Coordinates of all heavy atoms in Angstrom, one line a residue:
L13 N -9.8 6.9 9.6 CA -9.9 6.3 10.9 C -9.9 7.4 12.0 O -10.7 7.3 13.0 CB -8.8 5.3 11.2 CG -8.8 4.0 10.4 CD1 -7.5 3.4 10.3 CD2 -9.9 3.1 11.0
R17 N -13.0 8.0 14.6 CA -12.7 7.9 16.1 C -13.2 9.2 16.8 O -13.8 9.2 17.8 CB -11.3 7.6 16.3 CG -11.0 7.5 17.8 CD -9.5 7.4 18.1 NE -8.8 8.6 17.7 CZ -7.5 8.7 17.6 NH1 -6.7 7.6 17.9 NH2 -6.9 9.8 17.2
Q21 N -16.0 9.6 19.6 CA -15.6 10.2 20.9 C -16.5 11.4 21.3 O -16.9 11.6 22.4 CB -14.1 10.5 21.0 CG -13.3 9.3 21.1 CD -11.8 9.5 21.0 OE1 -11.4 10.5 20.4 NE2 -11.0 8.6 21.6
L64 N -15.5 -0.2 19.3 CA -15.1 0.2 18.0 C -13.9 1.2 18.0 O -13.0 1.1 17.2 CB -16.3 0.8 17.2 CG -16.0 1.2 15.8 CD1 -15.4 0.1 14.9 CD2 -17.3 1.7 15.1
V65 N -13.9 2.1 19.0 CA -12.8 3.0 19.1 C -11.5 2.2 19.4 O -10.4 2.5 18.9 CB -13.0 4.0 20.3 CG1 -11.8 4.8 20.7 CG2 -14.1 5.0 19.8
S66 N -11.6 1.1 20.2 CA -10.4 0.3 20.4 C -9.9 -0.4 19.1 O -8.7 -0.4 18.9 CB -10.8 -0.9 21.4 OG -11.0 -0.3 22.7
K67 N -10.9 -0.8 18.3 CA -10.5 -1.4 17.0 C -9.8 -0.4 16.1 O -8.9 -0.6 15.4 CB -11.7 -2.0 16.3 CG -12.1 -3.3 17.0 CD -13.3 -3.9 16.2 CE -13.8 -5.2 16.9 NZ -14.9 -5.8 16.2
I68 N -10.4 0.9 16.1 CA -9.8 2.0 15.3 C -8.4 2.3 15.8 O -7.5 2.4 15.0 CB -10.7 3.2 15.4 CG1 -12.0 2.9 14.7 CG2 -10.0 4.4 14.8 CD1 -13.1 4.0 14.9
N69 N -8.2 2.3 17.1 CA -6.9 2.6 17.6 C -5.9 1.5 17.2 O -4.7 1.8 16.9 CB -6.9 2.8 19.2 CG -7.5 4.1 19.6 OD1 -7.5 5.1 18.8 ND2 -8.1 4.1 20.7
A70 N -6.3 0.2 17.2 CA -5.5 -0.9 16.8 C -5.1 -0.7 15.4 O -4.0 -1.0 15.0 CB -6.2 -2.2 17.1
A71 N -6.1 -0.3 14.5 CA -5.8 -0.1 13.1 C -4.8 1.0 12.9 O -3.9 0.9 12.0 CB -7.1 0.2 12.4
L72 N -4.9 2.1 13.7 CA -4.0 3.2 13.6 C -2.6 2.7 14.0 O -1.6 3.1 13.4 CB -4.4 4.4 14.4 CG -5.6 5.1 13.9 CD1 -6.2 6.1 14.9 CD2 -5.3 5.9 12.6
R73 N -2.5 1.9 15.0 CA -1.2 1.3 15.4 C -0.6 0.4 14.3 O 0.6 0.5 14.0 CB -1.3 0.5 16.7 CG -1.3 1.3 17.9 CD -1.2 0.5 19.2 NE -2.2 -0.5 19.4 CZ -3.4 -0.3 19.9 NH1 -3.8 0.9 20.3 NH2 -4.3 -1.3 20.0
R74 N -1.5 -0.3 13.6 CA -1.0 -1.2 12.5 C -0.5 -0.3 11.3 O 0.5 -0.7 10.6 CB -2.1 -2.1 12.0 CG -2.4 -3.2 12.9 CD -3.2 -4.3 12.3 NE -4.5 -3.9 11.7 CZ -5.6 -3.7 12.4 NH1 -5.6 -3.9 13.7 NH2 -6.7 -3.3 11.8
T100 N -11.3 -1.2 9.7 CA -10.7 -1.9 10.9 C -10.5 -3.4 10.6 O -10.0 -4.1 11.4 CB -11.6 -1.8 12.1 OG1 -12.9 -2.3 11.8 CG2 -11.7 -0.3 12.6

Side-chain angles (χ1 to χ4, degrees):
L13 288 161
R17 180 185 64 190
Q21 289 174 333
L64 182 54
V65 167
S66 293
K67 289 181 180 184
I68 291 169
N69 287 334
L72 289 168
R73 281 191 300 277
R74 286 193 307 277
T100 58

